[in-house]
Amino acid sequence: MNRALAVLTVVAYVTLPLGSAKYETLVLPTLLVGLVYAGIAIAGFPWVQKRGRAFAIAYVCVQLPLGFTLFSLSGAAVGAILLLVVLISQTVLLLPLPVAFGVAVVIPLIHLGMEPMDGLREGLGTLAVMVFAAVVTELVQREKRAREELAEAHDRLRDYAAQAEQLATTQERNRLARDIHDGLGHHLTVVQMMLQAARAVIGTADTDRVDTMLAKAQDQAREALAEVRRSVSALREPRSEPLTDVLRALADEASAAGVRTGFEVKGTARDARAEVEESLFRAAQEGLTNVRKHARAKSATVVLDYAATDLVRLEVRDDGLGLAGNALNGNGFGLVGLRERVAGLGGRVAVDSAEGHGLTLTVEVPG
């Protein structure tokens, strides 16, 4: 905008002698005053823009009398009017719009020395030109501000998108970590226990038992591989089997691994969201894995409770060593991941235990 006004100032200054009624007698004073006016308009205006409002008012108070003098010296030349148009545009850029309109109303007073009708006609024409210049300058400024605001909003939106992408990546990474831990860790624990049991009897004559244990270990290894494929696949499909059947199979699996595990359903089983059923399955899987790895329990029970209408509760109980003190905080990755998973669904996880009296893992999820 400043560059355009500078170009307009130069053009107006060059045209000052044209159409001047006093060109032959006052050309030198006209050009000198016009040079001062143009110099201030081109060099002084950018400097004033960086200062406060007091400097802006002073600038207008200096340029307006100079413009009136130039108009008088040039004999109402078109160039003088153009220089005053530049002043109006600059006033819009420096001061509030009402002030610019006030200056626009003052400028037509340069015609007061003319005949009344001529002065009125010229004054109205000049007023129209000045108001038009003020309006156009304001519209250009608003468009510029709108573009700047749009660019700023675009930058913010791009930052938000980057943050959202990073958050989604982190959430997906955590989900995969939980799935790998809950699924693969569970199956590998069973494989380990089966192989330990097989090694314990491999030197005996009970080959059928050894073969059975190795076959179960092989099945668990196959399931572990399937869990890995599900976890790393972004298009993983939800489980198609009913939750009760999956949990019963999980309990049977734990029993086969050496810990007698029962399964109980309270209330009437009902369908729940896929993510709810997946979380309950993972909770049972994590609970039974911990029973086999740490509890030294003889028996365990998995309870799926539908008694409440607004939530589903899962309990995994065992008669093992239990926990006490700070151990109940559950800082292991499995329990941390389980709490993250359940919290994302608006549920809660609780661990109740007393040392030597077993442990109960409780998960409640809105369902």
Side-chain angles (χ1 to χ4, degrees):
M1 188 68 180
N2 288 359
R3 185 175 300 176
L5 290 177
V7 172
L8 181 59
T9 300
V10 172
V11 172
Y13 177 75
V14 171
T15 59
L16 270 177
L18 303 180
S20 173
K22 304 177 181 179
Y23 171 72
E24 295 180 355
T25 59
L26 296 176
V27 61
L28 184 59
T30 299
L31 292 178
L32 288 176
V33 174
L35 186 61
V36 173
Y37 185 99
I40 295 174
I42 295 174
F45 175 70
W47 183 85
V48 170
Q49 274 188 307
K50 301 175 183 178
R51 293 338 188 244
R53 181 164 293 184
F55 284 89
I57 295 173
Y59 175 84
V60 174
C61 291
V62 169
Q63 288 292 81
L64 190 59
L66 276 177
F68 274 49
T69 302
L70 188 59
F71 182 83
S72 177
L73 289 174
S74 66
V78 174
I81 295 295
L82 290 178
L83 289 174
L84 289 171
V85 168
V86 171
L87 177 61
I88 287 295
S89 296
Q90 291 176 338
T91 305
V92 173
L93 299 177
L94 292 174
L95 297 169
L97 189 60
V99 177
F101 280 125
V103 175
V105 171
V106 171
I107 288 177
L109 298 179
I110 58 178
H111 299 288
L112 286 179
M114 302 176 64
E115 293 294 330
M117 293 304 299
D118 292 339
L120 179 61
R121 183 178 65 254
E122 294 295 333
L124 291 176
T126 301
L127 177 63
V129 171
M130 298 304 161
V131 170
F132 179 80
V135 170
V136 170
T137 304
E138 176 65 18
L139 292 177
V140 171
Q141 279 299 100
R142 289 186 179 182
E143 183 188 6
K144 180 183 177 182
R145 287 194 294 267
R147 285 200 306 268
E148 291 174 349
E149 291 172 358
L150 183 61
E152 184 179 352
H154 178 71
D155 291 339
R156 287 199 302 268
L157 183 61
R158 186 166 50 201
D159 292 340
Y160 293 153
Q163 293 174 9
E165 182 180 1
Q166 183 178 5
L167 178 60
T169 300
T170 301
Q171 290 177 336
E172 182 64 11
R173 185 185 297 118
N174 290 341
R175 183 190 70 81
L176 289 173
R178 288 194 300 266
D179 287 354
I180 291 173
H181 176 276
D182 296 344
L184 184 61
H186 163 78
H187 292 296
L188 291 181
T189 298
V190 176
V191 169
Q192 181 187 23
M193 297 186 68
M194 290 292 184
L195 292 178
Q196 286 178 343
R199 289 184 64 188
V201 298
I202 198 168
T204 68
D206 194 354
T207 57
D208 290 341
R209 184 179 177 188
V210 173
D211 184 67
T212 300
M213 291 179 178
L214 291 177
K216 289 180 178 179
Q218 185 178 11
D219 291 339
Q220 288 299 314
R222 188 180 300 111
E223 285 295 325
L225 182 58
E227 284 288 348
V228 171
R229 288 172 177 166
R230 278 195 294 267
S231 296
V232 300
S233 172
L235 301 176
R236 185 180 62 176
E237 296 293 334
R239 300 177 186 275
S240 57
E241 305 90 344
L243 180 61
T244 52
D245 293 349
V246 175
L247 292 182
R248 186 174 285 108
L250 197 62
D252 294 341
E253 195 178 275
S255 297
V259 180
R260 188 176 69 256
T261 304
F263 176 65
E264 180 182 350
V265 179
K266 293 184 178 180
T268 303
R270 59 181 182 271
D271 292 334
R273 291 174 295 162
E275 57 269 27
V276 169
E277 294 193 350
E278 179 70 14
S279 294
L280 293 173
F281 168 76
R282 293 300 186 186
Q285 198 174 50
E286 173 67 16
L288 292 178
T289 298
N290 288 335
V291 168
R292 289 193 293 270
K293 289 173 63 176
H294 308 299
R296 299 183 186 176
K298 296 180 179 178
S299 63
T301 303
V302 178
V303 179
L304 185 60
D305 189 352
Y306 290 99
T309 58
D310 58 342
L311 56 84
V312 183
R313 173 183 295 172
L314 176 82
E315 291 184 0
V316 179
R317 300 194 294 260
D318 68 73
D319 59 359
L321 298 177
L323 298 173
N326 293 334
L328 285 175
N329 294 332
N331 294 323
F333 181 83
L335 193 54
V336 170
L338 179 59
R339 282 178 170 142
E340 289 177 353
R341 185 192 297 273
V342 173
L345 299 173
R348 71 177 190 93
V349 176
V351 180
D352 299 315
S353 178
E355 188 171 2
H357 294 82
L359 181 144
T360 300
L361 171 67
T362 303
V363 176
E364 293 181 347
V365 183

